[in-house]
Amino acid sequence: MSNRLQGRTALVTGSTSNIGRGVAEALAAEGAHVVVSGRDAGRGAEVVDGIRAAGGRADLVVADLDGSSAVSRDLAERATQAVGGRLDILVNNAGIYPSDTTLTVTDEKFDLVYGVNVKAAYFLTQAVVPAMIAAGGGTIINLGSWNARLGLPVGSLYASTKGAIETLTRAWSAEFGPQGVRVNAISPGVIRPDGYEPDGVDVGAGMMRGTPAGGSGSPEHIARAAVYLASDDAEFVHGTVLEVDGGRSNVAVIA
């Protein structure tokens, strides 16, 4: 363990698996007291147990973020109680990905995806920022996506929510940065879930063909970026979207 985040507290939404889990584990390994949160209590308990076994500090707060301000406020309150004070770091990671095309999205699906991917982060940020400002500072890290800037024939609804999150990152940076709260985002590329490589095959390699990386990334790649943005190493970084995507958004490797 290192200590770049020693003495700080963090809430990571959607941290019972994949990217969120990797971020929670990495923040804890750097000394932060992490609140793991998600819908699945069993998977959340596994994450917490793993962090504690490695010598870190973690607590589980189960929450099903539906986009309502009440649920977001309740999570903020319970997470704050779990760490015995205020939250220094908020990672808005929770999200859902429907692969629908525009012509197949229903009213209910539209509202659900915007509720989880945008409204939950919006109202959670609204709930935790006042205490950060009162304490003299804090850090918010949002999770965007390469889909927000590279058009694809499916997933338009998801892409639009990530575009909204990345826009909110800049707006919140302008709104809260002068009061000591740094706001940034990470835009992951194609990330393979831990352990999800049937027969050793990189199932996301096709979407990364033609990029400098040439294959999918892992949750650990995103976690390292989150540690950087949460730490004092990034004290002069405001309102940026850090692309950790293997070059997917900006580079084409021509053979």
Side-chain angles (χ1 to χ4, degrees), residues 138-163:
T139 302
I140 296 173
I141 302 170
N142 300 318
L143 268 293
S145 173
W146 62 283
N147 298 59
R149 66 189 61 80
L150 184 65
L152 299 173
V154 296
S156 61
L157 178 57
Y158 174 81
S160 70
T161 65
K162 291 305 181 178

Side-chain angles (χ1 to χ4, degrees), residues 138-233:
T139 302
I140 296 173
I141 302 170
N142 300 318
L143 268 293
S145 173
W146 62 283
N147 298 59
R149 66 189 61 80
L150 184 65
L152 299 173
V154 296
S156 61
L157 178 57
Y158 174 81
S160 70
T161 65
K162 291 305 181 178
I165 284 294
E166 293 186 7
T167 296
L168 283 170
T169 296
R170 292 182 284 270
W172 284 339
S173 180
E175 185 174 0
F176 305 130
Q179 301 173 84
V181 180
R182 290 192 301 106
V183 186
N184 292 289
I186 301 170
S187 175
V190 178
I191 303 298
R192 60 185 181 276
D194 284 335
Y196 187 64
E197 289 186 352
D199 301 319
V201 176
D202 180 355
V203 294
M207 289 184 286
M208 292 296 289
R209 188 174 297 118
T211 67
S216 302
S218 71
E220 185 179 2
H221 291 125
I222 310 306
R224 292 171 186 164
V227 168
Y228 163 68
L229 289 176
S231 74
D232 292 340
D233 291 343

Side-chain angles (χ1 to χ4, degrees), residues 88-110:
D88 300 305
I89 302 162
L90 168 64
V91 182
N92 285 313
N93 168 74
I96 53 177
Y97 175 80
S99 58
D100 306 68
T101 64
T102 299
L103 301 184
T104 61
V105 170
T106 63
D107 287 4
E108 293 77 16
K109 179 65 71 64
F110 189 99

